[in-house]
Amino acid sequence: MRKNLLQRAVLILSVTGICLYLTLIGYRRPTMKDFTSWSQVKTNLANNLKLGLDLKGGSQLLMQVRAEEVIAQVTTNNIEAAKTRLQKKGITVANASSSRPGQISVTISDAARAQEAETELRLDLDKQEWASSISGSTVTFTLNESAAEAIREQSVTQAMTIIENRINAFGVAEQSLQRYGRQNSYQILLQLPGVDDPERVKKTLVLESKLELRPTDSPFQTYPSLEEAQKAAAGKKDSEGNEFEPLPYDERGDDETEEAATPATPDPSKPAVYVLIAKKNVITGGDIRDALAIPADTSGKDYKINFRLKQAGAEKFKTWTGANIGKNLAIVLNNRVKSAPSIRSEISDSGEITGNFTKTSGEDLALVLRSGALPARVDYIEERTVGPSLGADSIRSGVLASVAGLIFIMIFMGIYYQFSGLNAIVSLVLNLIMLIAVLAMFGATLTLPGIAGIILTIGMAVDSNVLIFERIREELKLGKAVVSAVETGFAKAFITIIDTHVTTIVSSTFLFIFGTGPIRGFAITLIIGLLANLFTATFVSRTMFGYVLTRKERVTSLSI
Amino acid sequence: MVTRGFNLGVDFAGGSKATVRFKSDPSEDRIRVALEKVGIAGDKITLQRSGQRIGQGAPRHEMIVTVPDIPKDKIIEALEKHYPQAAPPAGLTNLNNGGAREIAIILLEKDPLSFRTNLPPGDAEKEYNRFAESVIRYRTSAPAGLITELNQIPVDGFDAKFREALPKFFYAGEFSLIGFENVGPQVGQDLQRRAVLVTLVSCLGMLVFIAFRFEWIYGVAAIVATLHDVIVTLGMFSLFQWEISLTFIAAILTLIGYSMNDTIVIFDRIRETLKVRRREDLVKVTNDALNQTLSRTIIASGLTFLSVVALLLFGGEVLKSFSLVLVIGILIGTYSSIAVASPIMIWWKRREEGQRQQQETEKKALKKKGAGESNAVKVESKTTAKSAPAR
């Protein structure tokens, strides 16, 4: 028995040691300072135990990717491609349209060539993804659900990559970006610890960056109203047969600092000026390799954006500028014309966007151009900001309340169960140390619901001890000897403890699997706490009793 | 619950909730007027005082503002322009709102200490960032919880000229927005549905486990008793129209765990006693088991109850709804494990026995009897539980 006890004690002490080490020092070699300076101990604890945003302070943004828009985009693109392809083959298209995203109907004039048209269109539309049917002169392609789902999923992944790139530019430490919610909810959760004013981040993240370089009408002129511009655009075609559309023109000299930050919200106080822009673009934002905001003049107030093009874009750009010297090329950002410089010579791979940018708005736009456009619109559906002082308050009151509760429990246990109460206190404290150590070990974050889990853990840990002690008291009352009373008490209470703990662990596991953020935080702390308690309440407490009982040859009384 | 409904917080109903800290005791009427001026309907504004808590030195003046779905900027705008009727100094930035980055950008643009010309490139930004961060640090730790006077901002380690330069670009506004939540209506509904669903699934998990360890009727009885606690607690929240927030869910889950624990302890004892005294009457066995575990029930519940009361007293605003659930829940939970779970189990067992004995009698008669008996048992066991002597 004695040897056995020694082994148990060594095990308990080493577990305690490891737990304390992990909590107070972490995965590194300790220095002298770790033990001597109280502030160092505090810092270590703060470093090892990750706190959630609700405790530490920071911002959390939940974004919804409009994945359905991507399907619509894919459909439109394919309709355009289909028209071109059939025209090249000499098949006349009477009508090409889509009744819903993911469906393309092409009606050709000559019903006899429907089969030929189908074969031709198959070159663009993969058999695995698009099912086709021919009825009369109409060929219909339908995107199957699994392919559509793959496209939506990909749009979310793509959006995440782009958002991540944009965030990185802000230099936020330890931001986390993750998929959120159910499989088909297309939500992204962004957490920014320490950021208590996410406005600028927010604006930049969903800033659309649809940049196109498109030809203007020639000679280039402005129209004072939309109606006049529309009138002029009607029926007008350029040498390549492209139609024109009127777009608002932000003339140079206007104050556009706000414009860059909040796109697509024209200032109603200023009368809009319209220009005619070809519907077909020369190059798009996707052709941009690099973009940089640089001062436009020596004053340092005005910024412009220099961009360089990728290989393919540069070639297209070179061909077009070479053929159109003297004409104007419009730089269209989010369907607003930013500037329309005239082409003086053949340009191959670079250009600039001017328009009274400030340093901040210029840098933000350059960043957006560099990282590419989002595949679909992204909406903010939830925002939570906890200021650092509010978080500090929560920690302070949480700790104060827990310590007050704990002290109360300890005093009661000490008085009511005397020596055995001390035993219970030791197991309780060890339980908490183990809980925190395991959280630190796995890098799990402690949130407010997590504190709820800790409170339930404390409640059940105290309950386990009370169960055992009351059972021992009962056995003693029945007149059993101390040693056997302790043994029976533990044995009988053990079954109950297992039942209660496993029941709660089972339900917590379900909570963890199916729950969302806060519920999972609760579940994981509770599971760890209860597992630790199974160890402390039965094994540790039992060993301590064992030590007391084996010290004397014959035990006649027990302080309980 | 049906007629009054619930006072759903922003988390579930959607909307915006801002925690605003003021320099001096805020006037509710004036906040309301300020918010109405930016176009928020007066009847949609909820104001709630907070920030008074035990164990904290200086009192803080906080107000929780709940309004329909509107962005943070609008709340700041309302309070900045319309709250202390005097307009803020033109062109100056409120140091009590916004983050370090914003302050640093303004400093960098205005360059009061001409760092941009005197320091190597990049260093100016670094210096201003460092100062801006120290301002935020001061704001967080100041006794009032926000900056009351600009000249209180410590400039140690920085050029003393900062002190002269600050009032040129900044002012210490009347208020500071220290927390903000904005939840879309869709998210709230989704959260609500999922919270209920996940709770039910976890209850099912417990039911299966208890059925496996005991008998299935024990599981049903335990779940019914637990749901009883949840419903009563929900009823209380509905009756007093206390706000239901996200922490409420965590609290309900804690309550379920707690109540279940209590019930299983008693069931365990019944099972154990039944093994030894197989022949005895179930009611007697149950009653004995209840009595034997009563001291444990009282000590454990009492201790948890008192530590939850500590949480209610010291826990502050954030933990308030959480601790309130548990204070109510533990009282109800203790009662229900004794007076709801066991009677259900006994009633069923009796019914089963009755069925076996009177298999030949008509179904009608059987039903009547079962129902009558069940009532009797319920009353009996309730009284025994209440009058049972404490040890």
Side-chain angles (χ1 to χ4, degrees), chain A residues 383 385 463 471 474 496, chain B residues 180 182 268-269 272 296:
Chain A
E383 177 188 347
T385 303
D463 190 37
R471 211 51 198 259
E474 261 178 56
T496 314
Chain B
F180 180 74
N182 180 322
D268 236 25
R269 197 56 179 251
E272 194 192 312
R296 181 292 336 168

Side-chain angles (χ1 to χ4, degrees), chain A residues 146-346:
Chain A
S146 68
E149 188 53 33
I151 293 173
R152 290 188 207 110
E153 278 301 316
Q154 203 205 344
S155 76
V156 178
T157 319
Q158 224 176 323
M160 281 176 72
T161 317
I162 289 166
I163 289 172
E164 185 154 28
N165 286 338
R166 291 184 186 179
I167 303 259
N168 283 338
F170 282 99
V172 177
E174 6 160 10
Q175 84 272 14
S176 98
L177 190 69
Q178 63 198 82
R179 273 301 289 272
Y180 190 77
R182 279 160 292 141
Q183 206 21 218
N184 51 359
S185 64
Y186 316 113
Q187 290 169 352
I188 303 173
L189 182 72
L190 170 66
Q191 295 187 308
L192 302 161
V195 174
D196 63 341
D197 185 33
E199 287 312 308
R200 188 173 167 222
V201 176
K202 256 175 90 178
K203 276 175 186 156
T204 318
L205 288 191
V206 298
L207 195 61
E208 280 185 77
S209 62
K210 203 171 139 212
L211 180 79
E212 294 165 299
L213 270 62
R214 288 154 68 168
T216 66
D217 61 341
S218 179
F220 178 63
Q221 61 180 104
T222 58
Y223 300 87
S225 74
L226 184 59
E227 289 75 35
E228 276 181 57
Q230 271 165 344
K231 222 183 281 169
K236 197 168 182 174
K237 279 185 183 176
D238 70 0
S239 51
E240 290 167 35
N242 293 315
E243 288 173 20
F244 288 96
E245 64 174 339
L247 286 179
Y249 178 40
D250 298 322
E251 274 179 297
R252 248 183 90 49
D254 282 358
D255 182 19
E256 286 155 22
T257 47
E258 284 301 303
E259 188 57 44
T262 48
T265 48
D267 186 350
S269 64
K270 261 182 258 166
V273 176
Y274 288 85
V275 291
L276 295 189
I277 304 294
K279 279 187 177 169
K280 191 175 178 252
N281 56 43
V282 180
I283 51 168
T284 66
D287 293 316
I288 288 177
R289 180 170 57 187
D290 197 10
L292 194 67
I294 55 165
D297 49 31
T298 47
S299 77
K301 275 182 189 157
D302 203 3
Y303 275 74
K304 63 181 181 183
I305 292 147
N306 264 12
F307 61 84
R308 288 195 300 151
L309 299 172
K310 292 178 190 160
Q311 183 77 41
E315 271 165 29
K316 276 190 272 178
F317 200 45
K318 188 177 171 185
T319 319
W320 191 87
T321 49
N324 291 283
I325 291 175
K327 287 187 184 166
N328 289 56
L329 183 68
I331 294 168
V332 184
L333 185 67
N334 301 324
N335 283 329
R336 289 179 79 82
V337 180
K338 279 282 158 188
S339 58
S342 64
I343 307 297
R344 297 212 185 87
S345 62
E346 190 182 274

Side-chain angles (χ1 to χ4, degrees), chain B residues 79-353:
Chain B
L79 292 174
E80 213 154 60
K81 287 197 179 143
H82 309 291
Y83 174 61
Q85 279 111 2
L92 302 193
T93 306
N94 184 356
L95 267 194
N96 272 329
N97 276 312
R101 173 89 190 155
E102 205 178 313
I103 298 171
I105 287 174
I106 292 171
L107 285 170
L108 194 64
E109 246 165 51
K110 312 278 184 188
D111 202 16
L113 304 183
S114 2
F115 280 165
R116 280 225 304 255
T117 44
N118 298 337
L119 292 180
D123 279 15
E125 196 167 346
K126 225 182 267 168
E127 277 299 296
Y128 285 130
N129 269 339
R130 203 158 64 86
F131 179 69
E133 272 158 26
S134 86
V135 171
I136 299 294
R137 256 201 310 280
Y138 169 73
R139 188 171 83 191
T140 311
S141 59
L146 77 173
I147 301 168
T148 42
E149 296 291 337
L150 281 189
N151 57 26
Q152 284 176 352
I153 297 171
V155 288
D156 345 319
F158 297 98
D159 199 314
K161 271 196 235 157
F162 262 125
R163 184 151 283 158
E164 295 157 35
L166 282 178
K168 288 185 204 155
F169 318 113
F170 301 105
Y171 72 100
E174 276 301 304
F175 69 96
S176 173
L177 197 85
I178 55 170
F180 180 74
E181 283 171 43
N182 180 322
V183 181
Q186 196 56 50
V187 180
Q189 271 174 21
D190 212 37
L191 211 63
Q192 206 175 330
R193 210 170 40 88
R194 294 198 61 167
V196 172
L197 211 67
V198 81
T199 311
L200 291 180
V201 168
S202 81
C203 280
L204 202 70
M206 289 194 275
L207 177 75
V208 171
F209 179 75
I210 299 172
F212 166 72
R213 285 287 296 161
F214 298 82
E215 278 171 54
W216 72 268
I217 183 60
Y218 283 76
V220 173
I223 295 291
V224 169
T226 304
L227 289 182
H228 160 268
D229 303 342
V230 174
I231 289 168
V232 171
T233 312
L234 282 173
M236 295 287 263
F237 267 69
S238 169
L239 186 66
F240 295 106
Q241 289 289 300
W242 288 323
E243 192 189 282
I244 291 183
S245 65
L246 210 56
T247 41
F248 179 83
I249 299 294
I252 288 288
L253 294 176
T254 312
L255 166 61
I256 290 177
Y258 182 83
S259 171
M260 193 50 93
N261 179 49
D262 235 18
T263 309
I264 292 178
V265 168
I266 294 171
F267 279 0
D268 236 25
R269 197 56 179 251
I270 296 175
R271 181 180 57 182
E272 194 192 312
T273 322
L274 274 177
K275 266 186 204 155
V276 195
R277 294 151 46 179
R278 202 165 298 185
R279 288 288 151 84
E280 240 170 282
D281 182 31
L282 186 65
V283 177
K284 174 124 191 12
V285 170
T286 307
N287 203 18
D288 285 354
L290 285 176
N291 281 338
Q292 282 160 352
T293 50
L294 196 65
S295 61
R296 181 292 336 168
T297 309
I298 289 170
I299 294 169
S301 304
L303 280 176
T304 323
F305 181 74
L306 285 165
S307 50
V308 173
V309 169
L311 205 62
L312 186 64
L313 290 179
F314 300 108
E317 204 53 48
V318 190
L319 290 173
K320 198 177 146 195
S321 97
F322 178 81
S323 25
L324 209 54
V325 171
L326 289 186
V327 165
I328 299 169
I330 288 173
L331 286 178
I332 307 291
T334 311
Y335 150 81
S336 80
S337 357
I338 296 174
V340 176
S342 309
I344 290 177
M345 190 267 291
I346 291 176
W347 168 74
W348 180 263
K349 284 280 177 189
R350 280 256 175 125
R351 223 186 93 133
E352 233 176 25
E353 216 168 284

Side-chain angles (χ1 to χ4, degrees), chain A residues 118-131:
Chain A
E118 197 265 352
T119 320
E120 189 62 26
L121 293 177
R122 268 279 168 231
L123 296 173
D124 280 335
L125 304 168
D126 194 284
K127 237 193 180 101
Q128 308 275 309
E129 296 172 359
W130 296 83

